[in-house]
Amino acid sequence: MVITAAHIQPIVALIAGILILIMPRFLNLVVAIYLIFVGLAGLGLFKMLKM
């Protein structure tokens, strides 16, 4: 299976959801990291790094 940009968001969302269930105190941190990651993926930064 080849992981593309379309697969990244659901994987990150799943990991973030699990972390929130395990450690609810870190909700703000998890949400912030998720939003930054999704924003960078949306801007195509990961495609530019592939070169």
Side-chain angles (χ1 to χ4, degrees):
M1 178 176 153
V2 177
I3 296 179
T4 63
H7 296 107
I8 293 174
Q9 188 173 359
I11 292 169
V12 173
L14 180 63
I15 293 169
I18 292 169
L19 286 175
I20 290 168
L21 285 174
I22 294 171
M23 301 175 288
R25 292 183 201 167
F26 296 110
L27 176 62
N28 290 337
L29 179 65
V30 171
V31 170
I33 291 171
Y34 173 76
L35 290 173
I36 290 169
F37 190 78
V38 170
L40 292 175
L43 291 173
L45 181 69
F46 300 114
K47 289 180 184 177
M48 293 186 321
L49 293 176
K50 188 175 181 182
M51 289 185 195

